Each structure stands twice: as C-alpha cells, then as structure tokens.
Amino acid sequence: MSEIQTIVDFFLEYKWIAILLAVGILAFWLLRAYGGGVLKAFEKAGEDDGTRFFKHIDITDTTRTYLEQASKSYSRFKFRGLPRVRAKGIEPPQLDQAFVSVRLIPESRGEGARGKLRSQESVIEVGGLKQTEPVALSEAVKDSTRLAIIGVAGSGKSTLLQWAGLAFARAILRKPLTEEQKEFVNSLGGKPLVPFLIPLRAYATYCEKNNCNRSSKTFLAFMADYFSDHHASLELDIDFVKSHLKKGCLLMLDGLDEVDPEDRASVRSAVEELLMEFDNSNLHCLLASRPSALQIAEQMQGFRSCEVQRLTDEQRDRLIAMWYGAVLADDMREARRKANDLSSRIEDSDQRVQDLATTPLMVTIFAMVHYSRDELPKQRAKLYEEAVEVLLTEVPYKGEEAKDLQNWGGMEWDVRRDRLARIAFELRERSKDSLLENDLVDLIWKRFGDEEIEARRSCTYFLREMAGRGGLLEAMDEKYGFYTHATFQEFLAGRFLAEEYPQEELSSFFREHIKNDLWDEALRLAAGYLAIKGEEKANRFILQIAKSGTDEASNGRALYVAGLALADIPQDRRLPSTVKTLVPKMEELLVANPPRIGVRARFNIGLALGSLGDPRFTLNEPALCPVPAGIFRIGTSEEEAELLKAQNMTVYEDEQPSHPVFVSEFSIGKYPVTNFEYAAFYDAKGYENPDYWSEDGWNWRTGKWTPNLLFIEDENLRKNYEEWLAGRPVELRDRPFFWDDSQWNAPNLPVVGVSWFEAEAYCKWLNHVTGKPYRLPTEAEWEKAARGPKNFLWSWGNEWNGTLCNNADKETEEKLNRTSPVGMYPDGAGEYGTLDMMGNVWEWCADWYDDELYQKRKEGETKDPLGPNSGSVRVLRGGSWYSIRNGCRCSVRYRYLPVNFSNDVGFRVVLSPRLSSWNSEFLDSGF
C-alpha cells in the first residue's frame, strides 16, 4: 500500500514530467507498431503537394525571386474587367479557380502511322485513335519539343501558356501542384525547366523601336530588356537569359498572329535561329497563334501544330459553375442557381450564340453579362453590345465613391464606347494591335474639343482612364491596345464602320480592304449590329461587301465574307433578294472546273454556302451518279504496281492479284453523305427506332453488342483499342460522335464519327422515307465507280496530284487538316461524275474484310462479289484528309471494326435496281 502511495505522491509532485514521460512511451509504442505506415503517409503527402519534383536542385536567389514573381503573374487571368461588377467589389477569379483545360488535336504526321497500312499499329491508328483524338497538353508535348498551339481568339491558348509556366514555376519552388500540372511536368521529363513567357508583338515592337534586324542576337537582347522591365526589382541581364536557355527552359511565345503580317516571316526566322543556337533536349518551346498566322507557324522548323478545340457543352457548363463559384463564394447556393440558369439560357439561345459560347473568353463574357443582367441576348452582335456596356459601367469602388465615378472621364458610358470604337477602327485600319500614346492622340484628339492643347490633354486623360479602369483598352510597353480583347476590337471597329463611317464611302472602303483577312470578323459583326436596328441596312451592307471584288481572287473573298455576314444575322432578317443574289454566285465559284480560286478560298466559300443552305442538296434525295453494268479489273495489276513504284507508292498484298469482276448497273452517291442529309435521320428520331437498325446494330446502339478484338494479336494494342471504344459508352451512341463539334458539323461537310452500324441504319431509314432500295456500296461497286471506265489508279488519272483531293501528303502544299465541304475539288472528279472518292473521309463499304479474298477468287470471272459471309472487321475505302498519297488510291483496302468511329470516316450510298436473292437478303437484314 505504501509503494502505491509513493507512486501517487511522485505523480502529484512531478505531474508535468510524468505526462511527458507517458506521451513519450505512447509515441515510442506507436512508432514501433505503425512507423512504416506513418512514414509512408508523410512521403505520400509530400508527393501530393508537388514537392517531390526537383528536391535536390540548387537555384540562385535571383532565379527563385524571378519564379516567385512569375508565379504571381501567371496565376492571374489577363482578361481585364473580370467582374468587379457594379459597386459590389467582387474580385476576379484566379487561374486556379476558373481554369478548364483545353484539348488539342496534333497535326498528322504524313508518312507516319498512316503509311504503315499493314502493321498491327495501323489497325489502331487508321481512324486517328491516337493522333486525331483531342488530347491534353501533357500528351501533345510527349511527341515533340516544339509545339505551335493554334486557336481562335479567346480559345484559351494564351491562358494555357500561363498555366504551363505556372506548373513549372511551382514545381521548381516546391509548391503544391494539381494532378494535371504534375502530369504535364512529368511529360517533359520531370526536369526543372525555368519558364519564360514572351509576347511576340513586344519583340516586333522592340525591333521597330530600336531599328534592328530580327535575329537570335536581337531576340536575346529583347528578352533581357523585357524581363528587366517586368521584374524591375531584379537585375535580369542577357547572361541570366542565356544561362537558362543553355540549361534548359520552357520558352513560351505568344501571339504570332499579333505581329504585323509583313513582319511575321522575319520574326519566325529569329525564333528559329534562337532555337538552333541553343539547341538541346531540355529546351522546349510552345508557340501560340490564331489561325491567321497558321501558314507561318507551319513553316517553322521542327514545330508540330496543335489545334485548340472548342469547349464541349460539359466544359462550358463546368467553367460557368467554377466562375460563379469563385465570384459568389460566400453564397454557393446562389452561385449554383445562377450557373444553372445561364447554362439553360445558352441551350435555349440561337445556334449562333451557342456556337459563340465555345471559348473560355466568350463563356466568361457570357457570365459577366448574365451576372449583370440576369438574362442573355440571343444574337451575337447584341451580346457584344451588352458586354461592352457591362465592361464600361463597372467600377471597383463602393458607396458614394462609386456614385461619383459612374461617369469617370467626364462622360457617359456610351460616349466612352463610341470613342473606343474610333480607336478600334484606327488600329484595325493600320493593321496594328497597339499604338504609342502620342500617335493615338494625334489620330483622335479632335473628338475632345476644338482647342488643340486642351483637347489633347483631355484625350490623354481619357486613354489613361480607360486603360486603368475600363477593362477593354490596355496599356503595355508604352502602347495602348485591345491586347486581351481582340474580339471586342473587331466588334467595335465593325460598329464604327456601320454607325459612323460615311456611307457614301463604304463601297470604296470595301474594295480597298476585302483582301485583308484582318477585317473579316469586323465586317461580319458590323452586319450583325446593323441587323439589331433593322433588316434593310444590314442587307444593303452585305450586298455592298459582295460587290467589292475587283478580280477573281477578291471576288471569292468578297462572296465568302458577305456569305458569312449574311449567315450571322437572324434568318428572319435575311431578305430573299439578298439570298438569291449571293448563293448562286457562291456555288458557281465552289464548283467551277477548272477552279477559279485556290483551295483555302474554296474551303471558305463552301463553309459560308453551307451556313446559308447549300442548294446542291435536297432533303432525302441524294445526288446520284449512274454506273453502267460491265466487267472491270479490281485490285492492282503488275503493270499498275510498276507505275505506282515509279511514284514512290507501296502496293499491298491484299489488293493483289488484279482480277476481272462483273458489276451490275447501279447508281452511287455523287458525294459522301453530309451532315445536312444525316440530320434528317437524326431529327426523325432514327436513333430511337429499332426498325431502322439491324439486330447487331441495335444491340450495339443499346450496349448489348461486344466487338471481337481477337484479330489484334498484340495485347497492349488490344488494350488501347478497348480503351478507345470505351470512350463512347451507350449514352454517347444517340448521335454521331462529333455531332456537336463545330469543326466537324457544318451542313455540307461529310458526316463523321459514325460507326458502320449507323451508316447501315441511315440507309435503311432512307429506304423507308423514299421507298427506294438504298444501301452501302460493295467494295467492287465502290472501286468501279472510283476508277471509272478507264480503270484509273486515282479517280482523275494514273498520276498522283495532291491538289485534286483533300489529303495530308507531305508534298501537298495547301493542307486543310480537317474535312472539307463536299465537291470542292471538281477537277478531281471521277469520269462517272463522283466527287471526293479520294481523300476527305474514308468510306464504309458493305463487305466484311478478308485479306486473302483476291487470292481466293483470282481464277475466272466473279459476278457482283459480296465479300465474306462473316468477319470481325468491315472495309473502308478512299483515304481521307489525314491520308498520304498511298492511302488515297482506288484499290487500297482498309479494315475497321464496325463499331469504330473517327473524325475521318464517313460513307456514301448506293441505289441499285437489281434485286437478286442476295440483295433481297441484304435488304431484309437491315437495308
């Protein structure tokens, strides 16, 4: 008892020591029992926050400070005016709060996977499974140290560069990274690449200001000067820049399109020279540009182009939710309500407005307008008009101070708007994105008064106030411009042209400017703005544009711009006389043979024609080309193989031997089936009616059909294929896979993203509505129609000519890298009248594929061959926009799973008067 008392007395007297002793014993026990797990947990935590990168790297204090400052800069959206809406004092979201990762489609590799037709890999990559499917930046950079990121205004390309720079700055500083940022850093080898973000327009300005040539030397000097200005607290000289270029860095070059067109080539040369001077595996370069400078970007040595994809509806709605969640963080219930309301309003809007809400910049603007108005305009130009008002009436203050500043600059908001419109017009007129303050004042001071000294002072004050508060005009490098608001510059310049430019001088203006693509969007928005006020002015404006051409090339440009402008105004504002004037002229230029305008011009004309209603297509009545009955030789003969060998072609075993076949009379579609034609099937609820589907087709449509992948021997390739097919679950089988993607869904583009089963169902539906036996062509029918009566190697003859079809051959100068309006290569037509048999899209045939089929029937003549009775893969014919010359041949055969889908696979139909027992069975089975 006394021993127990002694212990109690000890604890009472030395209780704190006792407590510490007990804690120590407990900690020792826990460490022994669970130490390994605890240590692993700490290690995992270190990995999760990004500190696992570059743990042992030594960086100088200067580099560390530079990275800290760069991180702060990169983490802020450059979009000015993000909403400190009205007097509510709301701060703009940070990049992490409202960043939606954009997706990229890398350009085709020409002689790459598409050239290896018979390898196991070709089975996977024939439909672009790896190269044409949109990927994240981390995936795109794995194949190339130099990427040209091409996207329309506001598509997020500049923000993507910021995000990339932020990822490396944080990684080197051992700050937390998102999972996506970790993946990106790892994709570049997990190396400590110091990020440098450079606006190329600033380099062009530097050279102009200092009267120096564009070269590696001047680019280095500019970089040192630029970083010294933007990091004034640091001494960043040319040695700082050189050292990191030698060690390895992430060089990000923004805005090639913002460089004056005359200077782009020299700027390109300077960049190439710089990269050659510091050529090493650790120097990675990302270049961002609008499509207007695509040709220059494609010429840059070693660069691979990636096209920024527009936001999907899901991405758009996620961005809206993130935006409202950031600006209404204190009331998440209200944030969700407003986000859902905006998403619903977009869905209910005119298609042109929906198409506008496909870039991060425009979705953000939608949110700003909706936040301020609790509604959304349904016309594009009207949306811009209201967005300008929102941006010009926001002030970052509260209470009386805000009230005093409502008319900042001493004028109403609409007066500020009109003067901004004049500035926008003057910049566009000079093909400039910015001007020095004094130069701008020289142009517009008379708007501020008659007395020059006072008017110039007021003008200067206005410019500085606008740049400081307005959210539209910005000051950078001692110049003013619409740096992050190029689309608003276009709208305001168009608005000025429509509202204030002398009307008697418009025709002369159009003649002088129609060849300059920098005016295209401004002219479209000007027409849209006029349509808000009345249809007569808008239609007269459009017809003036159409008449402004002075030669064949400018006539094509004028019709293209006028057509797009007409398509941009609501349909009930388009006068019939305007439509009847424009459409026939556009069609004439598109199909003229020989072509009177170039490939790009025909492509543009075709898209514009499609948006107005292409007269070549009648609902449920495909244009057909009759093909007479008779014998022809299918496959490639020995003589043809020699001709092909002389043209650097490869002949494959499955297209030999050549042998005679008899094909009965039939008619084949003049064009591949277009989105316009397929839409009738979709609108008729064709995806919901099993009567239009074969048994296997409906089982695929409802998720009950599993493809046989055993023909793919390599397990890894088979797994890749399974993952690809899993990207289209049942809920995504209610329409073509790319149906809602504006890049692929123009009315007169061939429908893509359709499986063999969907092509089959369309034919059966067409039978139902027309009472005629439409179906897919057999291989023999397709090849006979393609070869023509002279049995050509290509539909036009026996010599390859890359200008006669939409292809990706390395020697083809005007590559489109996408599908094209059908029929825009009239000089590549077959002798039976068919168009687009070569290139544009691969086309499904009815037959199962058998690589030994020609060997089996080489003896004797075959009548109306059908292919095998069963199989795992179907036949594709004709090549596509993604194919090199060897794929765009009449006799080349491809195999493809019937459930597969791609953005370069479509089909055309056949109408046959013969009703053999085979044809009757074929009709009964699904056709």
Side-chain angles (χ1 to χ4, degrees):
M1 188 70 179
S2 60
E3 292 176 355
I4 296 174
Q5 185 63 48
T6 300
I7 294 173
V8 171
D9 290 342
F10 175 82
F11 273 96
L12 290 174
E13 186 172 353
Y14 301 102
K15 57 184 178 182
W16 291 112
I17 295 176
I19 291 171
L20 289 174
L21 183 63
V23 170
I25 293 171
L26 178 62
F28 177 75
W29 179 79
L30 286 172
L31 189 60
R32 287 192 62 185
Y34 304 103
V38 172
L39 290 174
K40 287 181 180 178
F42 277 109
E43 289 174 4
K44 191 174 190 308
E47 289 182 1
D48 287 345
D49 68 7
T51 59
R52 67 190 174 103
F53 291 110
F54 323 135
K55 288 189 176 182
H56 304 296
I57 186 173
D58 294 323
I59 58 174
T60 65
D61 291 341
T62 299
T63 299
R64 182 178 301 279
T65 305
Y66 163 76
L67 290 171
E68 289 172 346
Q69 293 180 2
S71 292
K72 291 180 181 178
S73 174
Y74 296 158
S75 65
R76 294 190 297 268
F77 283 106
K78 302 308 180 192
F79 183 83
R80 298 289 298 272
L82 281 174
R84 299 174 178 181
V85 180
R86 306 287 180 188
K88 295 190 178 183
I90 295 174
E91 289 295 326
Q94 293 291 297
L95 188 144
D96 287 336
Q97 294 176 300
F99 176 76
V100 173
S101 178
V102 297
R103 309 289 284 175
L104 309 169
I105 288 188
E107 69 174 343
S108 63
R109 286 295 197 181
E111 292 286 353
R114 294 296 179 123
K116 304 171 183 176
L117 301 183
R118 292 299 170 266
S119 70
Q120 281 286 326
E121 290 187 16
S122 72
V123 177
I124 299 299
E125 296 189 327
V126 128
L129 299 186
K130 291 184 178 178
Q131 293 185 329
T132 61
E133 177 68 3
V135 298
L137 179 62
S138 57
E139 187 68 24
V141 296
K142 289 180 180 178
D143 294 333
S144 179
T145 59
R146 302 177 185 178
L147 287 185
I149 300 171
I150 310 299
V152 298
S155 60
K157 54 190 182 297
S158 297
T159 303
L160 187 63
L161 296 188
Q162 287 180 230
W163 176 88
L166 183 61
F168 271 96
R170 286 177 172 174
I172 297 173
L173 294 172
R174 297 179 61 185
K175 293 184 178 180
L177 302 178
T178 65
E179 288 301 319
E180 193 173 3
Q181 286 175 327
K182 293 179 193 177
E183 186 177 351
F184 173 63
V185 172
N186 276 329
S187 68
L188 292 180
K191 299 174 183 178
L193 308 177
V194 171
F196 290 143
L197 178 56
I198 301 290
L200 286 175
R201 65 165 176 268
Y203 170 59
T205 300
Y206 172 88
C207 293
E208 183 180 348
K209 181 179 179 181
N210 293 280
N211 193 28
C212 57
N213 294 326
R214 279 76 167 170
S215 67
S216 175
K217 182 178 180 180
T218 59
F219 204 100
L220 284 170
F222 156 73
M223 288 178 67
D225 184 75
Y226 180 81
F227 288 127
S228 179
D229 283 348
H230 286 76
H231 301 274
S233 62
L234 299 173
E235 295 182 2
L236 303 182
D237 56 16
I238 197 167
D239 291 331
F240 173 82
V241 175
K242 282 184 175 181
S243 67
H244 286 296
L245 287 172
K246 290 177 181 177
K247 293 176 185 176
C249 71
L250 180 63
L251 182 61
M252 299 171 289
L253 307 175
D254 195 16
L256 177 62
D257 59 286
E258 295 173 8
V259 176
D260 190 290
E262 294 183 0
D263 296 331
R264 290 172 186 168
S266 59
V267 168
R268 180 203 73 206
S269 297
V271 171
E272 290 175 331
E273 187 179 327
L274 179 80
L275 294 175
M276 186 177 298
E277 181 177 342
F278 294 92
D279 185 23
N280 65 77
S281 60
N282 293 330
L283 175 56
H284 295 263
C285 186
L286 305 177
L287 178 144
S289 175
R290 280 207 211 179
S292 57
L294 175 61
Q295 186 175 5
I296 295 294
E298 288 180 336
Q299 294 171 356
M300 297 189 75
Q301 185 66 33
F303 276 80
R304 187 183 186 191
S305 295
C306 288
E307 185 174 0
V308 180
Q309 299 303 285
R310 293 184 177 271
L311 297 180
T312 64
D313 292 351
E314 180 184 0
Q315 287 177 309
R316 176 199 70 201
D317 293 342
R318 185 163 73 249
L319 178 56
I320 290 170
M322 292 170 69
W323 191 91
Y324 266 118
V327 301
L328 294 178
D330 293 336
D331 189 350
M332 292 307 296
R333 183 176 180 179
E334 177 65 4
R336 285 191 294 271
R337 185 194 70 78
K338 291 185 78 69
N340 290 336
D341 181 64
L342 175 54
S343 294
S344 297
R345 288 178 182 272
I346 292 174
E347 289 293 336
D348 294 338
S349 295
D350 180 271
Q351 185 61 49
R352 288 178 296 278
V353 172
Q354 292 184 39
D355 292 343
L356 198 61
T358 54
T359 67
L361 176 62
M362 289 311 300
V363 171
T364 301
I365 291 170
F366 274 46
M368 292 172 61
V369 173
H370 179 259
Y371 182 92
S372 298
R373 301 284 199 270
D374 266 331
E375 60 180 22
L376 193 70
K378 293 188 175 182
Q379 189 195 345
R380 200 166 79 107
K382 180 67 172 174
L383 181 65
Y384 274 111
E385 179 82 344
E386 294 204 5
V388 168
E389 181 178 355
V390 168
L391 289 167
L392 292 183
T393 53
E394 293 172 0
V395 292
Y397 302 99
K398 298 180 180 180
E400 289 301 315
E401 191 173 10
K403 185 176 180 180
D404 292 340
L405 288 170
Q406 287 292 340
N407 295 330
W408 52 267
M411 59 188 72
E412 295 286 345
W413 79 268
D414 54 345
V415 179
R416 297 197 298 272
R417 176 204 60 204
D418 292 345
R419 296 190 180 177
L420 272 180
R422 174 65 186 275
I423 292 171
F425 178 84
E426 295 292 352
L427 290 173
R428 189 122 307 230
E429 178 73 339
R430 287 157 179 76
S431 299
K432 299 287 187 182
D433 69 326
S434 60
L435 284 172
L436 291 167
E437 183 177 88
N438 285 338
D439 292 339
L440 201 48
V441 170
D442 287 343
L443 289 173
I444 65 172
W445 69 263
K446 292 182 180 179
R447 291 219 161 198
F448 293 83
D450 295 328
E451 203 283 306
E452 183 173 355
I453 294 177
E454 184 58 33
R456 293 180 71 92
R457 185 182 296 116
S458 297
C459 181
T460 301
Y461 172 72
F462 170 78
L463 293 175
R464 293 174 181 176
E465 287 290 290
M466 285 299 305
R469 291 199 187 108
L472 283 170
L473 192 69
E474 298 176 69
M476 187 182 297
D477 301 325
E478 301 179 358
K479 289 187 174 184
Y480 292 93
F482 296 79
Y483 295 111
T484 55
H485 290 288
T487 58
F488 279 90
Q489 184 195 6
E490 289 162 339
F491 168 71
L492 288 168
R495 190 186 191 284
F496 178 87
L497 194 62
E499 192 73 80
E500 300 191 51
Y501 197 84
Q503 296 302 298
E504 65 276 9
E505 298 177 18
L506 268 181
S507 295
S508 176
F509 176 89
F510 293 148
R511 283 194 299 272
E512 293 172 7
H513 294 77
I514 198 61
K515 292 184 179 180
N516 186 347
D517 63 3
L518 293 176
W519 276 99
D520 289 359
E521 188 68 7
L523 294 176
R524 291 179 64 182
L525 289 166
Y529 170 76
L530 287 171
I532 298 172
K533 309 181 75 176
E535 60 186 26
E536 188 64 42
K537 285 186 177 180
N539 281 265
R540 186 165 61 246
F541 185 88
I542 290 168
L543 288 175
Q544 282 182 282
I545 295 174
K547 297 174 183 177
S548 60
T550 55
D551 54 35
E552 201 74 78
S554 60
N555 282 339
R557 287 274 310 146
L559 284 170
Y560 159 62
V561 176
L564 287 183
L566 185 60
D568 212 56
I569 68 176
Q571 192 157 0
D572 59 1
R573 299 290 177 95
R574 304 175 196 170
L575 295 178
S577 57
T578 307
V579 175
K580 290 178 181 179
T581 298
L582 290 186
V583 167
K585 293 180 179 179
M586 295 168 70
E587 181 187 4
E588 180 184 355
L589 269 185
L590 179 66
V591 303
N593 190 12
R596 286 152 46 187
I597 54 179
V599 169
R600 290 277 176 182
R602 298 202 303 276
F603 176 82
N604 291 334
I605 283 277
L607 289 183
L609 183 64
S611 64
L612 291 173
D614 194 324
R616 295 177 296 164
F617 303 101
T618 302
L619 204 59
N620 304 335
E621 292 184 24
L624 297 172
C625 298
V627 179
I631 297 173
F632 87 105
R633 296 193 67 84
I634 193 170
T636 302
S637 67
E638 293 181 2
E639 294 79 10
E640 289 172 333
E642 290 301 315
L643 284 174
L644 291 168
K645 184 179 179 180
Q647 299 180 64
N648 299 316
M649 306 288 178
T650 301
V651 177
Y652 302 102
E653 291 182 3
D654 68 346
E655 60 182 283
Q656 294 180 307
S658 173
H659 56 282
V661 296
F662 177 90
V663 178
S664 299
E665 178 187 1
F666 67 97
S667 293
I668 191 168
K670 185 175 184 178
Y671 316 101
V673 173
T674 62
N675 288 305
F676 169 78
E677 293 168 303
Y678 197 88
F681 167 65
Y682 176 79
D683 292 340
K685 308 297 182 185
Y687 278 84
E688 299 172 21
N689 191 339
D691 291 342
Y692 302 140
W693 298 74
S694 65
E695 181 178 355
D696 283 347
W698 188 248
N699 284 338
W700 168 82
R701 167 70 184 87
T702 55
K704 300 172 185 176
W705 194 87
T706 303
N708 180 1
L709 301 181
L710 294 179
F711 70 94
I712 305 175
E713 298 174 3
D714 187 283
E715 291 185 8
N716 290 328
L717 289 174
R718 193 183 310 142
K719 183 179 178 181
N720 288 341
Y721 218 135
E722 290 170 349
E723 291 175 353
W724 161 255
L725 294 177
R728 195 179 184 191
V730 173
E731 56 269 23
L732 296 181
R733 299 178 192 175
D734 64 344
R735 65 193 67 193
F737 189 70
F738 300 97
W739 193 242
D740 299 316
D741 189 329
S742 59
Q743 181 178 355
W744 312 103
N745 67 8
N748 55 5
L749 292 178
V751 63
V752 293
V754 287
S755 67
W756 188 91
F757 291 131
E758 289 164 284
E760 176 193 41
Y762 173 84
C763 292
K764 188 173 182 183
W765 167 82
L766 192 59
N767 292 336
H768 173 76
V769 296
T770 64
K772 300 176 181 178
Y774 287 100
R775 54 177 173 81
L776 291 174
T778 65
E779 268 200 280
E781 288 170 334
W782 192 97
E783 186 168 333
K784 181 176 183 181
R787 281 179 173 270
K790 297 178 183 177
N791 227 48
F792 285 145
L793 295 175
W794 290 275
S795 58
W796 55 80
N798 289 326
E799 291 188 12
W800 167 253
N801 187 335
T803 67
L804 302 183
C805 68
N806 182 3
N807 68 91
D809 194 77
K810 62 183 180 180
E811 295 181 7
T812 299
E813 293 183 2
E814 292 193 88
K815 297 184 185 72
L816 297 174
N817 292 318
R818 56 177 294 180
T819 54
S820 52
V822 298
M824 64 166 273
Y825 292 89
D827 44 349
E831 292 203 10
Y832 290 127
T834 53
L835 289 152
D836 293 330
M837 295 294 277
M838 312 285 95
N840 209 359
V841 289
W842 289 98
E843 298 177 15
W844 287 114
C845 289
D847 311 49
W848 290 107
Y849 174 84
D850 179 356
D851 59 356
E852 297 180 353
L853 181 64
Y854 289 12
Q855 288 288 340
K856 294 175 183 177
R857 64 183 191 207
K858 62 182 178 181
E859 299 296 336
E861 179 186 308
T862 305
K863 181 177 181 181
D864 294 326
L866 310 178
N869 293 325
S870 62
S872 299
V873 287
R874 295 283 183 176
V875 174
L876 287 178
R877 287 299 198 118
S880 77
W881 61 269
Y882 196 88
S883 303
I884 57 176
R885 64 178 70 185
N886 209 46
C888 300
R889 285 195 288 113
C890 294
S891 57
V892 167
R893 309 170 67 217
Y894 265 69
R895 57 178 179 174
Y896 217 40
L897 273 177
V899 297
N900 218 334
F901 53 93
S902 177
N903 54 21
D904 65 348
V905 172
F907 67 100
R908 74 177 72 211
V909 298
V910 152
L911 180 63
S912 174
R914 62 193 172 97
L915 287 173
S916 64
S917 59
W918 163 77
N919 202 38
S920 300
E921 292 172 5
F922 205 43
L923 289 170
D924 292 340
S925 70
F927 286 87

